[in-house]
Amino acid sequence: MSEEVPGVTARMKWFSSTLVALALSTAAPLAPMAPQELENELAGATSPYLRSAADQPVAWQEWGPDAFALARELDRPIWLDIGAIWCHWCHVMDRESYENPELAALINAGFVPIKVDRDERPDIDSRYQLAHQALTGRSGGWPLTMFLTADGTPFAGGTYFPPEQRGETLGVREFATRIGGGYRDRQGEIGEVTAAVMEWIRPVARMTNASGTLTPAVPRAITADVRAAFDPLHGGFGAQPGTKFPKGEAIRLALARGVLDGDPEMVRSALQTLKAYARSGLRDHLLGGFFRYSTNRELTVPHFEKMDYVQAALLQAYLDAYRLTGEVVYAEVARDIMRYVDATMSDPEGGGFYPHQDADLSLDDDGSYFTWSVTQLEAVVTPEEARVLAPHFGVESRGEMREHPDQNVLRVAATPEEIAAETGLSVEEVEERIRSGTRTMRAARLAQEAPFVEKTKYTSRNAMLIVAYLDAWETLGDEHARDFALRTLDLVLETNVQDDWTVHHAHDEGESPVEGTMEDYAFLADALVDAWQVSGRDRYLRAAAGIMDRAEALFRDEEDGGFFDRPPDRQALGLLAERRKDFNDAPLPGTNAVAARVLEKLYLVTSDARWQELAEETLAAFAGTAQASGTFGGSYALAAEMHLNKPPQTVVIGPAGNPLTGELARAAWTTYRPGRIVASYDPGVVALDSLPEAVAGAARVFEGDPVPRAYVCVGRTCAPPTSSPEEVARLVRDFGRDGIR
Amino acid sequence: MRRAIMGSLATVLIATAAVAGCSREVPPGDAPGDPTPPRTEEAGPLVTGLTLPDLDGRERPLSFADGSVTVLNFWATWCVPCLREIPELVALHRDRSDEGLGVVGIAVESGRPSDIRAFATEKGMIYPIVTSSQRWARKEFDLFGLPLTLIVDREGVVRRRLIGPHSRAEFEAAAEPFLTATDSTGESR
């Protein structure tokens, strides 16, 4: 399982040679250990991923003071395994090594093994991924296998390891015997390595040298790199062979700057990429939604796990494209993503979104739930349909999958027009067969057992999809999207937020909640401001401000600006003691980028300059290094642009029951302008003295002359009010832009 | 008739100037005290002869009868950027009106006079306030965004056009050349 990481440099590579030497030279046989029998403790874990490992012979411990105390007491290194339930290679390593009693016994005899769920503990994962970079010079991924001293400091590690040495790659057996055996004798060398690793990690985690002056040049540099990274041949980012990750935020940045800067070529590249994704093997053409990434430049062979953040980012990118171009194809893809999320990645009864769906049913398949052979296709559809569907979806006797060569990843290989020309059928006939055949194929898949869907409702991850669903309401007028988003938001507030605005990452009935990180605070506040815009419910805005106040108290870096992911904690275990900040989209939107966006929005809707100052400080904390973020910097660059060039703010005053009120708001919502803010007030419902001063002014105007009106302001200027939806759209699109009135 | 010609000619002049100058409209920051120089444009319509109703409904001229230089501020009760500069205008009028530099506020689309009066009282707006529709303001002064401030010299000629909120010092700097001038060239003697 690979993960893209920005800014891996060669300077850490010397560690890897040091470490391999350590591991190899420490060939002493495993010293007999005290007959301390560790037991697998995962049966009571809250994470389903951890519970799924409860039957493994490895004596897995949960991350926590007990496990660390055990390591100290036994004077053993820690074998840290970080994975996720959607991660294919995690399951492979489970089966090959962790379910093997002999290898498990080796691990149990020499280590205290700890297993961590990446999605439950992004704070632990992000730090040890950084350690992996320090030790190997390579970006990490999952499973992440790290060897730690008893106090949690990493001194060796890697990602997936085979059970036994394969070629030059050491296996679990070698690591278990050599590291387990040499740990006590080679404390001196290990101490040197951990000291060097920590010296490297500390400033990188803290981003101590990242701050700078925020000038327009910073987001411009990111935009220029995004522009240059588009693959003109296949779409997406990167023109080299290798993996390609869908990057919704970078696409949104390209659209935004392309429009505002008058750069039609950049807009075209962004739209071409969205069209390429929509045709490609990255998309699930039957059930909707997008897979996590493509293993090749051509976007034909994905890894099939489906992640909430991929759906959220792409949903918003397609909504942007639809708003900008009015082309129905983008709205269709957006609806298709929601169809998948509604059906599979959400809890229709209780509310809430789920984080991900696994790629496989078992280790023997490599996405077989999603792929098709010619035989499988012909078994379910009529011969007439197959004649059209096979060329349409590119289903051939030789497919793309390495383990199952007859299996094909569906993609749009030929359009109805091309098939019509080839077969002599009319385009309408072809389209009808595609429609009916696709229905049958979908039903066939739905009748099968589907890959596992994790059902933990994480705060930050729910917030991302709430934002995207509210966007779908604004853009498409999809009431279900709005209602479900607001219901989910209420659920998150109820279960994961305390009265003092302390936010939890996850809630599990009867169990202690997982502590929230800055990601949960920032993402949730973002969703709350958007929910306030859509619903006009004041309590959402109050909650957003309360949560950001709390976040400031818990996480703010008072020296360099920005927000750490965790509060200071003297009791923190292992690398959790290191303070860490992030702002890149890797792969979730950068926490500090989202925080800056929320602060900027809070400033715009409350006019409270404190939020603006905090936004400036947050952006400046990364301005010295952000220029190099490239396609990882989409969210940061959009937040920076929002701060430097204020977006339009529309206030609609009118009774909710008057159709014109809704039309004015809809005109603002459906018009493309990055970062636009829209708020509606029903003067018959809200108390005047509860309103911001300027809104109260507008409400009094309404009292004197009760016609719904929209007020559009941009930065330092406001346009006179209008009751014309067309004029609202024009103002939102153009008002306050350079050279345009 | 003369009024009408002047008005339309002025509109054309201002429109041209505004478009040409718009590239500076977006500031690098939005914080109060932003060091961006105020946006100023040469302009030239006459306000002499124009009147608008004050909060008691009485028609009132837009400049001062005593030959003061007038800071003519278009604002609105619903306009956040306008609210930001009101304290600056209040201080300016308080300290300088006796020496020939005063403020007149034009409340645009701000509803009932009684609401405007309540608002102005709360903000301590001690300078004269008249009311206008947006149509009138657009026709006469090509208003397309608020706040808009015109510096009107002693002859009633609009000499500067400031878009967006400004500080007292910026208003004073824009008005200064016309305080000592006795003709309409805008040059000090």
Side-chain angles (χ1 to χ4, degrees), chain B residues 82-144:
Chain B
C82 306
L83 306 190
R84 216 175 287 158
E85 68 178 357
I86 285 175
E88 305 284 319
L89 293 162
V90 169
L92 175 70
H93 187 81
R94 183 188 63 216
D95 297 344
R96 300 289 305 265
S97 55
D98 286 348
E99 45 180 293
L101 178 59
V103 178
V104 172
I106 302 181
V108 181
E109 297 288 338
S110 289
R112 294 169 297 209
S114 57
D115 288 332
I116 301 173
R117 186 191 303 283
F119 185 94
T121 306
E122 194 203 314
K123 296 278 169 199
M125 298 167 75
I126 47 176
Y127 46 84
I129 289 171
V130 292
T131 63
S132 160
S133 70
Q134 59 169 303
R135 190 184 309 171
W136 186 92
R138 185 166 284 175
K139 175 169 74 78
E140 295 295 340
F141 293 102
D142 199 37
L143 175 116
F144 62 91

Side-chain angles (χ1 to χ4, degrees), chain A residues 388-678:
Chain A
V388 164
L389 285 169
H392 177 63
F393 283 136
V395 178
E396 296 167 6
S397 54
R398 172 126 194 119
E400 292 88 4
M401 304 312 295
R402 202 181 300 159
E403 307 287 323
H404 301 88
D406 63 333
Q407 292 289 318
N408 292 263
V409 179
L410 303 189
R411 65 194 160 88
V412 178
T415 63
E417 290 74 17
E418 287 163 342
I419 297 168
E422 192 73 22
T423 56
L425 295 165
S426 74
V427 175
E428 291 71 30
E429 279 172 302
V430 173
E431 284 175 340
E432 179 46 38
R433 287 186 196 186
I434 290 174
R435 252 196 308 276
S436 61
T438 304
R439 259 199 310 271
T440 314
M441 291 170 76
R442 183 180 302 137
R445 275 301 175 260
L446 287 173
Q448 291 180 4
E449 186 193 349
F452 180 80
V453 177
E454 158 140 29
K455 300 204 163 144
T456 311
K457 296 168 187 173
Y458 294 115
T459 299
S460 52
R461 318 272 295 245
N462 268 271
M464 275 184 321
L465 274 165
I466 290 170
V467 168
Y469 265 50
L470 291 176
D471 197 359
W473 151 250
E474 294 181 359
T475 312
L476 306 173
D478 183 331
E479 288 182 15
H480 162 76
R482 176 196 59 193
D483 295 347
F484 192 75
L486 293 179
R487 191 147 70 89
T488 295
L489 184 60
D490 288 339
L491 175 78
V492 171
L493 286 171
E494 187 189 315
T495 57
N496 291 4
V497 180
Q498 292 176 192
D499 290 344
D500 66 352
W501 303 121
T502 298
V503 178
H504 302 305
H505 183 47
H507 165 82
D508 191 81
E509 276 164 44
E511 301 286 336
S512 54
V514 183
E515 199 182 330
T517 65
M518 182 62 199
E519 178 183 286
D520 296 296
Y521 286 76
F523 287 33
L524 181 57
D526 194 38
L528 284 161
V529 178
D530 288 5
W532 169 79
Q533 292 186 60
V534 159
S535 70
R537 290 176 201 160
D538 257 0
R539 63 188 175 91
Y540 291 145
L541 192 57
R542 278 200 306 277
I547 285 168
M548 289 311 283
D549 274 335
R550 183 93 181 115
E552 187 186 351
L554 288 173
F555 304 110
R556 181 172 167 221
D557 179 352
E558 286 173 9
E559 275 168 49
D560 295 322
F563 296 88
F564 293 116
D565 63 344
R566 291 171 49 84
D569 178 4
R570 290 183 187 285
Q571 311 297 318
L573 301 168
L575 289 188
L576 284 184
E578 301 309 315
R579 308 215 69 190
R580 182 185 159 275
K581 290 187 282 194
D582 75 75
F583 72 99
N584 280 315
D585 304 330
L588 270 66
T591 296
N592 275 282
V594 175
R597 175 170 81 210
V598 177
L599 293 165
E600 195 60 41
K601 289 200 285 196
L602 280 172
Y603 164 66
L604 292 170
V605 302
T606 64
S607 300
D608 183 344
R610 187 171 62 96
W611 298 123
Q612 158 101 333
E613 285 156 24
L614 209 48
E616 166 95 28
E617 180 186 293
T618 305
L619 290 163
F622 308 94
T625 194
Q627 309 216 7
S629 285
T631 56
F632 296 94
S635 298
Y636 177 86
L638 282 168
E641 289 287 1
M642 190 175 179
H643 177 73
L644 293 167
N645 297 315
K646 301 300 180 202
Q649 284 178 266
T650 305
V651 172
V652 177
I653 304 282
N658 185 329
L660 182 56
T661 308
E663 282 170 37
L664 294 172
R666 185 137 298 284
W669 279 334
T670 53
T671 302
Y672 183 78
R673 179 92 174 258
R676 88 253 180 284
I677 297 222
V678 184

Side-chain angles (χ1 to χ4, degrees), chain A residues 222-439:
Chain A
I222 297 171
T223 308
D225 284 350
V226 166
R227 192 181 197 282
F230 280 114
D231 179 352
L233 198 56
H234 300 288
F237 296 97
Q240 274 81 46
T243 56
K244 256 185 186 166
F245 289 78
K247 290 177 175 288
E249 290 86 2
I251 294 168
R252 299 186 74 196
L253 173 67
L255 289 175
R257 292 323 304 174
V259 168
L260 295 178
D261 301 339
D263 182 348
E265 199 182 318
M266 184 156 61
V267 173
R268 220 169 11 248
S269 297
L271 294 174
Q272 270 168 4
T273 279
L274 288 175
K275 283 187 170 151
Y277 286 169
R279 285 191 307 268
S280 76
L282 263 180
R283 183 176 178 195
D284 185 337
H285 292 271
L286 295 182
L287 303 176
F290 285 86
F291 303 116
R292 189 162 74 94
Y293 70 103
S294 167
T295 59
N296 62 0
R297 180 187 169 191
E298 294 76 19
L299 302 173
T300 53
V301 186
H303 265 212
F304 293 95
E305 59 272 9
K306 288 180 175 173
M307 316 303 290
D308 53 357
Y309 59 81
V310 171
Q311 318 310 326
L314 288 180
L315 175 52
Q316 289 192 271
Y318 281 99
L319 291 170
D320 273 358
Y322 176 63
R323 229 185 331 238
L324 177 62
T325 65
E327 285 180 46
V328 184
V329 53
Y330 301 113
E332 279 169 3
V333 180
R335 288 198 184 93
D336 198 45
I337 294 172
M338 287 193 286
R339 194 160 53 97
Y340 166 70
V341 173
D342 284 342
T344 307
M345 211 178 243
S346 58
D347 177 354
E349 274 147 40
F353 295 106
Y354 300 143
H356 41 73
Q357 182 175 26
D358 212 343
D360 328 293
L361 285 163
S362 78
L363 293 178
D364 299 318
D365 81 51
D366 48 356
S368 308
Y369 181 75
F370 300 102
T371 56
W372 289 76
S373 66
V374 174
T375 321
Q376 286 173 333
L377 179 68
E378 287 174 348
V380 298
V381 301
T382 65
E384 291 74 28
E385 287 167 344
R387 207 174 131 219
V388 164
L389 285 169
H392 177 63
F393 283 136
V395 178
E396 296 167 6
S397 54
R398 172 126 194 119
E400 292 88 4
M401 304 312 295
R402 202 181 300 159
E403 307 287 323
H404 301 88
D406 63 333
Q407 292 289 318
N408 292 263
V409 179
L410 303 189
R411 65 194 160 88
V412 178
T415 63
E417 290 74 17
E418 287 163 342
I419 297 168
E422 192 73 22
T423 56
L425 295 165
S426 74
V427 175
E428 291 71 30
E429 279 172 302
V430 173
E431 284 175 340
E432 179 46 38
R433 287 186 196 186
I434 290 174
R435 252 196 308 276
S436 61
T438 304
R439 259 199 310 271

Side-chain angles (χ1 to χ4, degrees), chain B residues 56-68:
Chain B
D56 297 316
R58 284 192 297 262
E59 290 291 320
R60 193 201 177 287
L62 305 187
S63 55
F64 291 100
D66 64 2
S68 286

Side-chain angles (χ1 to χ4, degrees), chain B residues 10 15 19-20 32-34 36 49 56 58-59 80 83 90 97 166-167 188:
Chain B
V19 169
D34 178 20
T36 313
D56 297 316
R58 284 192 297 262
E59 290 291 320
V80 176
L83 306 190
V90 169
S97 55
H166 290 76
S167 67
S188 313

